[in-house]
Amino acid sequence: MLISHLQSGLEQQSITYAESIKFSFASTVFECGSVIVYFIMQRKCVIHLILLWFIVGTNGCVAEEYHCNVEYYSHVVSFSNVVVEGSAMPRFSCSNSDNIADLIFKMSLLEEVPKQLFATFPNLVVANFTRSGIKRINRYSLNRAVHLKNLYLKSNELQELNADCFYGAVALLDLDLSFNNISSIDRMAFNTLSKLLVLWMSGNKLRSLDSRVFEPLQSIRTIYLNSNELQVIEAGLFVANHKLKNILLHSNHISVIEEGAFRDEKSTESSTALLILSLSNNKLTKLNVEKVKIIQLYLTNNTLEAILLSPWVQTLYAENNRISNVTVSDVTNMQLKTLRLANNSITSLESIQLFHSLNELDLSNNYIGPLNITCLTKLVFLKELRLQRTFISNLQHGTFAQQQSLKWLDISYNNLDRFDFDILTSSATLQQIFLDGNRLKSLNYEHLKKTFPALVKIGLSENNWNCTYLIQLVRYCNEHSIELFKSQAVQNQTNVKGIYCFDDKNPLANWNNTLQHVQALHPHLNSTTEDSALQTLLQSVLDDVKRFSENHADVANQTSKLDGAVYDLTKNQFNIQKDVNSLRQSLFEIRLALMANRTNGSVGADNDELRRMIETANNLTLDKQELSAKTLEFKIYEQTFKVDKALELARENSDKIVVLAKRVEQWISNIVSSGGAAGMLGHDRLPIHPSAAQVEVSSGNGYGLIIAMLVVMCLMMGMIMFIIAKFHRRSYGVERRRYANRDSSMATIINNDI
């Protein structure tokens, strides 16, 4: 009886102790301890209790505990160096855990989102797991995250999103899953996130999306899907998101957008218009959004040829495409204010001028050519106009007659050889104008500030300015507080305030930069406009050569006059010296005759006088010989100077001819190659202007003639150099033989020269 009572007491104590262990280790020994505790409660055996302690001690099922770090400069609580492998269940502790709202993991390695975290911190609002190595989100990871609003899982190792993976996070507003390896999303992954406002999915590996995957996101405002591998946007993908404002799909591989992918004008009245739709850096060839309510549309860097817009579009960025035409479903109600079509295939402004509400228009790097005087008539609200590199060659009075609001005008890098500010008289509010890269030589700037009182910046670089004229123009701008825009860094070339110019006093320095200027004139051109570009380049070369020839002729003429004057002075000096020598010889002959006529006189006196006479004769002969040597030296110098000048001129012309020949040869090869590839380019080629077509037709005969002329000029220059050198050698040899054969004795000198 006593034994039975003792045994029952021990069993009762075992049960009580096991129960206490169960509750004390419930959160830390969930995997291995719970099974054994359950077995103990069924068997009610003290031996199994001992086995439980043994297993806990040997297998390490006791969870590791991490303590928080409270950032002293903010309310954020952090955990550092947390490492959780497999199914381990760590413990997180922090003082006053019920009031902690913002938590971040630093330098940690977690395989999954720890679900016990939200049991410890029930009022957590922000959880940041950035760069924590998370590979999955389990079904119950966020089961207790009822107050969580911001969840950051950026830069982890997630590969997929399963159904109900965010179950429990019903208050979530911002979810960042960017820069993971997510390649698939279950259509039920977001089914509990009805309050989500922003979804970040950038930088993943998504190739396709189920058409109903975003349907549960009834409150979503912005979706980031950029930098993925999406190829097709299916119909109905964003139709159910009535509050969606921003869709970012740039930097994907999208080639097809199915009709009905976005909300159309027939959606419910509660639907809001898309503020931003970004489709840049994709592979789109056509786009029809005539029924989609979009405010800002970004289509840069695609292969679009035509666009059909809705009247709600206010901003369109479509640079670097092949667009030749932009149409609108309802022109009357068009609200387009900003249109950027740089580097496309626009050849006319007929369709552009229908957008009467435009404030900003960018058509740079399009082959537009001469402007029609009425092409801008309807664009009365235009404030910014960019027409650089559009092959404009004429600007007539009346072209800008209706642009009273114009503040920015860029017509740089065109074919303008003159520009009259009077054509902009209607644009009195003009603030900035850019005329760089043309062929301007002068401007009517005297009343510039009076006509445009708001003008603060002007671009004048890379034109055909004369330095003297440019100094006056720059001085005027400085005096009237007009900033000078410089399109490139200043190099070793004549310039005024960093603007290159042509110096009359040093014309040779400008030739070295001619080809560089021509090459940089149209750097954007490709094979599609190479024919017309060649015409522009050749014309620029001819203008520079003509300018160089005219100025070089003036300088050469002045140099020749100066050399002639020096030569005449030297020649007169030699003539005077010769006359002096003749006079001295006459005096010597007179004295010699007087000495011969004397009949009486001392012998000593006659000998002394004779000695002086001989010395005088010797001095006179030496002076005459020195004069002859100087004369010969002067003639040699004269011939050498002429030869040097001829060699220098030939060398300069030869270098220029060689460079020009290489450039022409390169252009010819480019044209031949572009002509051979015409079949492959097909419709990708831009339309060529008639003038460019004429150049193309006549280029075959013209290039051969140019090369032949260059070769003939080189041969003629070589012959001239050879003849001059040969003549110089011959004359110098004759003079040397003449003086080498002379007898230097005193008697011979007296007999030959006196």
Side-chain angles (χ1 to χ4, degrees):
M1 188 69 166
L2 180 60
I3 295 174
S4 177
H5 181 72
L6 180 60
Q7 184 177 1
S8 63
L10 289 174
E11 290 179 357
Q12 186 66 30
Q13 291 180 3
S14 300
I15 294 172
T16 305
Y17 195 39
E19 291 291 337
S20 64
I21 291 176
K22 176 183 176 183
F23 288 104
S24 62
F25 290 94
S27 60
T28 59
V29 198
F30 183 82
E31 295 293 335
C32 61
S34 59
V35 176
I36 300 175
V37 170
Y38 175 78
F39 187 77
I40 292 171
M41 293 179 65
Q42 296 295 327
R43 293 290 183 175
K44 303 178 181 179
C45 180
V46 179
I47 298 175
H48 293 105
L49 178 60
I50 298 172
L51 180 61
L52 170 63
W53 284 105
F54 177 78
I55 294 175
V56 171
T58 56
N59 293 339
C61 290
V62 177
E64 188 173 355
E65 183 174 350
Y66 295 95
H67 298 278
C68 68
N69 300 317
V70 180
E71 307 291 345
Y72 67 91
Y73 54 86
S74 68
H75 64 282
V76 180
V77 172
S78 65
F79 287 94
S80 302
N81 302 311
V82 178
V83 178
V84 180
E85 298 179 356
S87 59
M89 305 292 288
R91 295 181 61 192
F92 301 97
S93 62
C94 193
S95 60
N96 198 15
S97 59
D98 292 339
N99 296 326
I100 293 176
D102 197 337
L103 187 146
I104 183 173
F105 281 82
K106 298 180 179 179
M107 296 179 292
S108 298
L109 185 61
L110 311 171
E111 290 193 7
E112 62 183 39
V113 177
K115 55 186 176 182
Q116 65 274 24
L117 181 69
F118 300 98
T120 307
F121 305 102
N123 296 318
L124 202 59
V125 176
V126 179
N128 193 334
F129 296 95
T130 301
R131 296 183 182 88
S132 297
I134 295 176
K135 297 180 180 179
R136 58 186 176 273
I137 304 174
N138 289 329
R139 167 68 173 78
Y140 299 105
S141 294
L142 302 172
N143 190 31
R144 298 189 180 182
V146 292
H147 299 291
L148 189 64
K149 294 183 178 180
N150 301 310
L151 177 59
Y152 302 113
L153 293 166
K154 181 179 179 181
S155 302
N156 281 283
E157 300 178 13
L158 294 172
Q159 297 183 1
E160 60 182 359
L161 298 179
N162 298 319
D164 298 320
C165 59
F166 300 102
Y167 180 80
V170 293
L172 201 60
L173 301 178
D174 191 344
L175 176 59
D176 191 349
L177 297 167
S178 57
F179 299 101
N180 281 273
N181 297 320
I182 301 173
S183 59
S184 65
I185 303 177
D186 190 277
R187 62 180 298 180
M188 300 297 291
F190 306 121
N191 63 339
T192 60
L193 304 182
S194 59
K195 295 183 179 180
L196 190 67
L197 299 178
V198 182
L199 175 61
W200 304 75
M201 296 292 297
S202 308
N204 282 282
K205 297 183 179 180
L206 294 171
R207 293 190 176 183
S208 63
L209 291 169
D210 189 279
S211 61
R212 302 182 63 183
V213 68
F214 300 127
E215 186 174 320
L217 306 178
Q218 295 299 314
S219 301
I220 194 71
R221 298 290 194 276
T222 303
I223 297 179
Y224 292 89
L225 289 167
N226 55 291
S227 302
N228 278 276
E229 300 175 5
L230 296 173
Q231 299 178 358
V232 178
I233 304 300
E234 297 183 2
L237 183 60
F238 303 103
V239 171
N241 309 115
H242 299 289
K243 297 182 180 180
L244 187 59
K245 291 186 176 181
N246 306 306
I247 304 176
L248 291 93
L249 292 164
H250 55 274
S251 301
N252 279 278
H253 306 305
I254 300 172
S255 59
V256 176
I257 297 180
E258 296 181 356
E259 186 177 356
F262 309 100
R263 297 191 314 274
D264 56 23
E265 58 185 0
K266 297 180 181 180
S267 300
T268 60
E269 296 181 357
S270 60
S271 300
T272 58
L274 282 175
L275 179 61
I276 296 176
L277 175 58
S278 178
L279 292 166
S280 301
N281 299 310
N282 280 287
K283 299 181 180 180
L284 292 170
T285 57
K286 60 181 179 179
L287 182 65
N288 184 351
V289 290
E290 61 174 333
K291 298 180 180 180
V292 183
K293 295 181 179 180
I294 306 173
I295 305 300
Q296 299 180 24
L297 181 59
Y298 297 86
L299 301 170
T300 303
N301 296 327
N302 280 276
T303 55
L304 291 166
E305 298 178 0
I307 306 176
L308 182 56
L309 299 177
S310 67
W312 292 278
V313 176
Q314 297 182 14
T315 301
L316 174 60
Y317 291 83
E319 299 94 333
N320 302 326
N321 282 279
R322 301 173 184 174
I323 299 171
S324 59
N325 190 24
V326 179
T327 56
V328 184
S329 58
D330 186 1
V331 179
T332 305
N333 299 318
M334 189 66 197
Q335 303 178 23
L336 189 63
K337 299 184 182 301
T338 300
L339 178 59
R340 293 190 178 182
L341 294 172
N343 197 17
N344 276 280
S345 303
I346 303 295
T347 58
S348 174
L349 298 182
E350 292 182 3
S351 61
I352 305 298
Q353 65 179 343
L354 299 177
F355 306 145
H356 51 81
S357 58
L358 277 177
N359 290 335
E360 180 182 351
L361 176 61
D362 185 358
L363 296 174
S364 56
N365 295 304
N366 284 278
Y367 191 91
I368 296 177
L371 292 179
N372 191 314
I373 195 171
T374 61
C375 63
L376 301 174
T377 303
K378 297 181 180 180
L379 305 180
V380 296
F381 301 106
L382 205 59
K383 295 181 180 180
E384 293 188 17
L385 178 59
R386 304 171 189 267
L387 295 172
Q388 61 267 35
R389 294 187 175 94
T390 52
F391 297 90
I392 297 174
S393 58
N394 67 316
L395 287 176
Q396 308 174 50
H397 287 273
T399 303
F400 301 97
Q402 305 301 322
Q403 278 64 57
Q404 300 180 3
S405 303
L406 193 63
K407 299 181 182 298
W408 177 303
L409 177 61
D410 191 343
I411 51 176
S412 57
Y413 298 97
N414 281 288
N415 302 326
L416 299 173
D417 53 9
R418 64 181 182 276
F419 180 79
D420 189 355
F421 278 106
D422 291 339
I423 67 175
L424 295 172
T425 304
S426 300
S427 306
T429 60
L430 188 67
Q431 297 178 358
Q432 301 186 41
I433 183 171
F434 301 92
L435 303 170
D436 311 82
N438 285 283
R439 302 172 185 170
L440 302 177
K441 297 180 180 179
S442 62
L443 288 173
N444 54 332
Y445 64 89
E446 292 81 5
H447 305 288
L448 186 60
K449 194 65 175 181
K450 183 178 180 180
T451 307
F452 309 102
L455 187 64
V456 294
K457 182 180 288 188
I458 185 172
L460 300 171
S461 59
E462 299 183 61
N463 280 283
N464 297 339
W465 302 119
N466 178 282
C467 289
T468 304
Y469 178 84
L470 184 59
I471 291 174
Q472 300 175 1
L473 177 55
V474 171
R475 184 179 293 119
Y476 177 89
C477 293
N478 292 336
E479 291 175 352
H480 293 82
S481 301
I482 301 176
E483 180 184 353
L484 296 172
F485 172 77
K486 304 175 185 62
S487 60
Q488 61 182 4
V490 179
Q491 299 177 355
N492 186 18
Q493 185 180 347
T494 53
N495 66 87
V496 178
K497 292 290 186 179
I499 303 174
Y500 296 142
C501 59
F502 176 74
D503 190 1
D504 291 335
K505 300 178 181 179
N506 188 19
L508 295 176
N510 295 273
W511 174 260
N512 296 329
N513 297 279
T514 299
L515 292 179
Q516 297 178 2
H517 172 73
V518 172
Q519 187 175 6
L521 187 60
H522 295 285
H524 69 284
L525 293 174
N526 49 31
S527 60
T528 58
T529 57
E530 191 168 356
D531 298 334
S532 55
L534 179 61
Q535 181 185 8
T536 304
L537 297 176
L538 287 175
Q539 184 63 41
S540 180
V541 171
L542 292 176
D543 291 343
D544 287 336
V545 170
K546 181 179 179 181
R547 182 186 64 186
F548 171 79
S549 301
E550 293 175 354
N551 290 276
H552 184 267
D554 295 339
V555 175
N557 188 22
Q558 296 177 3
T559 304
S560 300
K561 290 181 180 180
L562 182 61
D563 291 341
V566 174
Y567 176 79
D568 293 338
L569 290 175
T570 307
K571 190 174 182 180
N572 292 334
Q573 180 183 359
F574 288 161
N575 290 332
I576 293 173
Q577 187 67 32
K578 186 176 181 180
D579 293 338
V580 171
N581 290 338
S582 299
L583 181 60
R584 290 175 60 190
Q585 183 176 352
S586 299
L587 292 175
F588 176 77
E589 290 176 352
I590 293 172
R591 293 178 62 186
L592 186 61
L594 291 175
M595 186 180 67
N597 292 331
R598 288 181 181 178
T599 55
N600 53 356
S602 61
V603 178
D606 292 339
N607 291 335
D608 294 337
E609 188 174 0
L610 182 60
R611 189 181 301 108
R612 289 193 297 272
M613 292 289 290
I614 293 173
E615 291 178 357
T616 303
N618 289 336
N619 293 334
L620 180 61
T621 303
L622 292 174
D623 291 340
K624 292 177 66 177
Q625 186 176 6
E626 183 179 1
L627 179 61
S628 299
K630 289 183 177 180
T631 304
L632 177 61
E633 183 179 357
F634 175 72
K635 291 181 178 180
I636 294 173
Y637 169 76
E638 180 184 6
Q639 296 298 329
T640 304
F641 178 77
K642 292 180 179 180
V643 171
D644 291 340
K645 285 294 183 182
L647 290 174
E648 182 180 356
L649 181 61
R651 184 167 53 253
E652 292 177 358
N653 291 333
S654 177
D655 293 340
K656 297 169 190 174
I657 290 171
V658 169
V659 173
L660 189 58
K662 290 182 178 179
R663 181 64 62 182
V664 172
E665 183 180 357
Q666 182 179 359
W667 290 334
I668 294 174
S669 63
N670 291 338
I671 290 176
V672 172
S673 61
S674 63
M680 292 183 290
L681 290 174
H683 63 279
D684 293 342
R685 291 181 59 86
L686 291 174
I688 299 178
H689 195 265
S691 61
Q694 295 176 3
V695 174
E696 182 178 2
V697 172
S698 61
S699 61
N701 297 329
Y703 294 136
L705 181 60
I706 292 175
I707 295 176
M709 292 178 62
L710 294 176
V711 173
V712 172
M713 290 176 63
C714 292
L715 293 176
M716 292 179 62
M717 194 61 63
M719 292 178 64
I720 293 173
M721 292 168 55
F722 176 76
I723 293 172
I724 293 174
K726 187 173 181 181
F727 176 76
H728 164 65
R729 272 176 165 248
R730 182 176 180 182
S731 60
Y732 182 71
V734 170
E735 294 295 335
R736 287 190 61 184
R737 286 194 298 272
R738 175 183 174 187
Y739 282 93
N741 296 330
R742 282 191 168 189
D743 188 357
S744 59
S745 63
M746 183 64 66
T748 304
I749 293 175
I750 294 176
N751 292 332
N752 292 338
D753 295 312
I754 297 180

